[in-house]
mmCIF file of all heavy atoms in Angstrom:
data_model
loop_
_atom_site.group_PDB
_atom_site.id
_atom_site.type_symbol
_atom_site.label_atom_id
_atom_site.label_comp_id
_atom_site.label_asym_id
_atom_site.label_seq_id
_atom_site.Cartn_x
_atom_site.Cartn_y
_atom_site.Cartn_z
ATOM 1 N N TYR A 1 6.762 12.200 3.163
ATOM 2 C CA TYR A 1 6.879 13.366 2.327
ATOM 3 C C TYR A 1 6.094 13.138 1.006
ATOM 4 O O TYR A 1 5.265 13.958 0.564
ATOM 5 C CB TYR A 1 8.281 13.562 2.014
ATOM 6 C CG TYR A 1 8.609 14.656 0.978
ATOM 7 C CD1 TYR A 1 8.715 16.054 1.311
ATOM 8 C CD2 TYR A 1 8.729 14.373 -0.445
ATOM 9 C CE1 TYR A 1 8.924 17.031 0.399
ATOM 10 C CE2 TYR A 1 8.977 15.365 -1.376
ATOM 11 C CZ TYR A 1 9.031 16.696 -0.912
ATOM 12 O OH TYR A 1 9.311 17.677 -1.849
ATOM 13 N N LEU A 2 6.191 11.958 0.387
ATOM 14 C CA LEU A 2 5.519 11.709 -0.850
ATOM 15 C C LEU A 2 3.990 11.487 -0.635
ATOM 16 O O LEU A 2 3.214 11.854 -1.412
ATOM 17 C CB LEU A 2 6.128 10.410 -1.559
ATOM 18 C CG LEU A 2 7.553 10.731 -2.142
ATOM 19 C CD1 LEU A 2 8.028 9.384 -2.714
ATOM 20 C CD2 LEU A 2 7.575 11.848 -3.092
ATOM 21 N N VAL A 3 3.740 10.802 0.467
ATOM 22 C CA VAL A 3 2.246 10.565 0.776
ATOM 23 C C VAL A 3 1.584 11.868 0.982
ATOM 24 O O VAL A 3 0.405 12.110 0.468
ATOM 25 C CB VAL A 3 2.151 9.689 2.039
ATOM 26 C CG1 VAL A 3 0.695 9.703 2.452
ATOM 27 C CG2 VAL A 3 2.676 8.371 1.837
ATOM 28 N N ARG A 4 2.210 12.794 1.671
ATOM 29 C CA ARG A 4 1.588 14.118 1.863
ATOM 30 C C ARG A 4 1.473 14.900 0.563
ATOM 31 O O ARG A 4 0.494 15.594 0.257
ATOM 32 C CB ARG A 4 2.307 14.931 2.913
ATOM 33 C CG ARG A 4 2.124 14.378 4.243
ATOM 34 C CD ARG A 4 3.144 14.976 5.285
ATOM 35 N NE ARG A 4 3.077 14.439 6.537
ATOM 36 C CZ ARG A 4 3.910 14.571 7.572
ATOM 37 N NH1 ARG A 4 5.012 15.250 7.313
ATOM 38 N NH2 ARG A 4 3.681 13.978 8.750
ATOM 39 N N ALA A 5 2.492 14.829 -0.253
ATOM 40 C CA ALA A 5 2.448 15.512 -1.527
ATOM 41 C C ALA A 5 1.347 14.963 -2.393
ATOM 42 O O ALA A 5 0.607 15.769 -3.084
ATOM 43 C CB ALA A 5 3.832 15.338 -2.252
ATOM 44 N N ALA A 6 1.119 13.655 -2.455
ATOM 45 C CA ALA A 6 0.040 13.099 -3.238
ATOM 46 C C ALA A 6 -1.292 13.475 -2.638
ATOM 47 O O ALA A 6 -2.255 13.725 -3.322
ATOM 48 C CB ALA A 6 0.153 11.608 -3.224
ATOM 49 N N SER A 7 -1.393 13.585 -1.321
ATOM 50 C CA SER A 7 -2.683 13.857 -0.666
ATOM 51 C C SER A 7 -3.143 15.246 -1.024
ATOM 52 O O SER A 7 -4.345 15.482 -0.874
ATOM 53 C CB SER A 7 -2.539 13.710 0.869
ATOM 54 O OG SER A 7 -2.231 12.317 1.208
ATOM 55 N N ARG A 8 -2.194 16.192 -1.314
ATOM 56 C CA ARG A 8 -2.602 17.510 -1.658
ATOM 57 C C ARG A 8 -3.152 17.604 -3.075
ATOM 58 O O ARG A 8 -3.691 18.618 -3.492
ATOM 59 C CB ARG A 8 -1.483 18.535 -1.451
ATOM 60 C CG ARG A 8 -0.942 18.573 -0.042
ATOM 61 C CD ARG A 8 0.232 19.555 0.004
ATOM 62 N NE ARG A 8 0.973 19.217 1.205
ATOM 63 C CZ ARG A 8 2.348 18.903 1.207
ATOM 64 N NH1 ARG A 8 2.973 18.802 0.061
ATOM 65 N NH2 ARG A 8 2.962 18.579 2.327
ATOM 66 N N ALA A 9 -2.869 16.640 -3.930
ATOM 67 C CA ALA A 9 -3.310 16.639 -5.269
ATOM 68 C C ALA A 9 -4.718 16.078 -5.550
ATOM 69 O O ALA A 9 -5.397 15.680 -4.599
ATOM 70 C CB ALA A 9 -2.251 15.754 -6.054
ATOM 71 N N ASP A 10 -5.174 16.149 -6.777
ATOM 72 C CA ASP A 10 -6.495 15.804 -7.078
ATOM 73 C C ASP A 10 -6.642 14.293 -7.309
ATOM 74 O O ASP A 10 -6.655 13.781 -8.450
ATOM 75 C CB ASP A 10 -6.961 16.560 -8.347
ATOM 76 C CG ASP A 10 -8.404 16.318 -8.683
ATOM 77 O OD1 ASP A 10 -9.192 15.690 -7.863
ATOM 78 O OD2 ASP A 10 -8.786 16.612 -9.801
ATOM 79 N N ILE A 11 -6.603 13.507 -6.171
ATOM 80 C CA ILE A 11 -6.666 12.096 -6.269
ATOM 81 C C ILE A 11 -8.007 11.515 -5.575
ATOM 82 O O ILE A 11 -8.697 12.324 -4.913
ATOM 83 C CB ILE A 11 -5.458 11.453 -5.548
ATOM 84 C CG1 ILE A 11 -5.426 11.834 -4.019
ATOM 85 C CG2 ILE A 11 -4.202 11.829 -6.245
ATOM 86 C CD1 ILE A 11 -4.363 11.100 -3.244
ATOM 87 N N ARG A 12 -8.248 10.322 -5.854
ATOM 88 C CA ARG A 12 -9.513 9.718 -5.262
ATOM 89 C C ARG A 12 -9.036 9.098 -3.836
ATOM 90 O O ARG A 12 -9.954 8.930 -3.030
ATOM 91 C CB ARG A 12 -9.955 8.569 -6.159
ATOM 92 C CG ARG A 12 -10.573 8.961 -7.426
ATOM 93 C CD ARG A 12 -11.684 10.048 -7.309
ATOM 94 N NE ARG A 12 -11.120 11.391 -7.442
ATOM 95 C CZ ARG A 12 -11.931 12.476 -7.165
ATOM 96 N NH1 ARG A 12 -13.191 12.326 -6.833
ATOM 97 N NH2 ARG A 12 -11.360 13.695 -7.321
ATOM 98 N N GLY A 13 -7.809 8.779 -3.568
ATOM 99 C CA GLY A 13 -7.444 8.198 -2.306
ATOM 100 C C GLY A 13 -6.019 7.637 -2.341
ATOM 101 O O GLY A 13 -5.370 7.680 -3.394
ATOM 102 N N VAL A 14 -5.579 7.172 -1.205
ATOM 103 C CA VAL A 14 -4.283 6.575 -1.000
ATOM 104 C C VAL A 14 -4.468 5.198 -0.389
ATOM 105 O O VAL A 14 -5.151 5.033 0.635
ATOM 106 C CB VAL A 14 -3.334 7.410 -0.133
ATOM 107 C CG1 VAL A 14 -2.020 6.721 0.073
ATOM 108 C CG2 VAL A 14 -3.117 8.849 -0.684
ATOM 109 N N VAL A 15 -3.904 4.132 -1.064
ATOM 110 C CA VAL A 15 -4.195 2.758 -0.566
ATOM 111 C C VAL A 15 -2.775 2.060 -0.483
ATOM 112 O O VAL A 15 -1.951 2.202 -1.339
ATOM 113 C CB VAL A 15 -5.066 1.964 -1.507
ATOM 114 C CG1 VAL A 15 -5.278 0.536 -0.991
ATOM 115 C CG2 VAL A 15 -6.391 2.691 -1.593
ATOM 116 N N ARG A 16 -2.629 1.362 0.627
ATOM 117 C CA ARG A 16 -1.318 0.572 0.770
ATOM 118 C C ARG A 16 -1.379 -0.610 -0.213
ATOM 119 O O ARG A 16 -2.394 -1.310 -0.401
ATOM 120 C CB ARG A 16 -1.218 0.034 2.156
ATOM 121 C CG ARG A 16 -0.589 1.005 3.136
ATOM 122 C CD ARG A 16 -0.352 0.412 4.463
ATOM 123 N NE ARG A 16 0.268 1.283 5.390
ATOM 124 C CZ ARG A 16 1.643 1.417 5.549
ATOM 125 N NH1 ARG A 16 2.374 0.697 4.858
ATOM 126 N NH2 ARG A 16 2.088 2.292 6.380
ATOM 127 N N LYS A 17 -0.234 -0.889 -0.750
ATOM 128 C CA LYS A 17 -0.086 -2.099 -1.581
ATOM 129 C C LYS A 17 -0.347 -3.411 -0.844
ATOM 130 O O LYS A 17 -0.661 -4.462 -1.398
ATOM 131 C CB LYS A 17 1.364 -2.128 -2.237
ATOM 132 C CG LYS A 17 1.592 -0.985 -3.220
ATOM 133 C CD LYS A 17 2.962 -1.115 -3.822
ATOM 134 C CE LYS A 17 3.218 -0.026 -4.854
ATOM 135 N NZ LYS A 17 4.595 -0.091 -5.443
ATOM 136 N N SER A 18 -0.033 -3.396 0.527
ATOM 137 C CA SER A 18 -0.216 -4.466 1.333
ATOM 138 C C SER A 18 -1.671 -4.769 1.830
ATOM 139 O O SER A 18 -1.951 -5.604 2.607
ATOM 140 C CB SER A 18 0.742 -4.477 2.458
ATOM 141 O OG SER A 18 0.480 -3.347 3.310
ATOM 142 N N ALA A 19 -2.548 -3.837 1.337
ATOM 143 C CA ALA A 19 -3.934 -3.938 1.801
ATOM 144 C C ALA A 19 -4.569 -5.265 1.447
ATOM 145 O O ALA A 19 -4.150 -5.838 0.406
ATOM 146 C CB ALA A 19 -4.761 -2.856 1.188
ATOM 147 N N PRO A 20 -5.470 -5.836 2.227
ATOM 148 C CA PRO A 20 -6.199 -7.068 1.786
ATOM 149 C C PRO A 20 -6.842 -6.894 0.459
ATOM 150 O O PRO A 20 -7.225 -5.864 0.101
ATOM 151 C CB PRO A 20 -7.268 -7.274 2.887
ATOM 152 C CG PRO A 20 -6.709 -6.528 4.119
ATOM 153 C CD PRO A 20 -5.901 -5.327 3.554
ATOM 154 N N SER A 21 -6.934 -8.018 -0.232
ATOM 155 C CA SER A 21 -7.506 -7.943 -1.605
ATOM 156 C C SER A 21 -8.875 -7.355 -1.695
ATOM 157 O O SER A 21 -9.181 -6.540 -2.582
ATOM 158 C CB SER A 21 -7.526 -9.381 -2.278
ATOM 159 O OG SER A 21 -6.220 -9.929 -2.327
ATOM 160 N N ALA A 22 -9.724 -7.768 -0.754
ATOM 161 C CA ALA A 22 -11.086 -7.250 -0.776
ATOM 162 C C ALA A 22 -11.159 -5.716 -0.616
ATOM 163 O O ALA A 22 -11.894 -5.026 -1.235
ATOM 164 C CB ALA A 22 -11.953 -7.921 0.343
ATOM 165 N N GLY A 23 -10.226 -5.248 0.367
ATOM 166 C CA GLY A 23 -10.245 -3.810 0.494
ATOM 167 C C GLY A 23 -9.749 -3.064 -0.671
ATOM 168 O O GLY A 23 -10.217 -1.939 -1.037
ATOM 169 N N LEU A 24 -8.647 -3.616 -1.378
ATOM 170 C CA LEU A 24 -8.100 -2.964 -2.599
ATOM 171 C C LEU A 24 -9.121 -2.974 -3.638
ATOM 172 O O LEU A 24 -9.264 -1.997 -4.405
ATOM 173 C CB LEU A 24 -6.816 -3.685 -2.986
ATOM 174 C CG LEU A 24 -6.149 -3.243 -4.206
ATOM 175 C CD1 LEU A 24 -5.741 -1.740 -4.040
ATOM 176 C CD2 LEU A 24 -4.855 -4.072 -4.490
#
């Protein structure tokens, strides 16, 4: 629900906190 709500807003992207350091 929150991911979709954020995705509709004016953001640059959505990234997982558990993403590898290089990707983050």
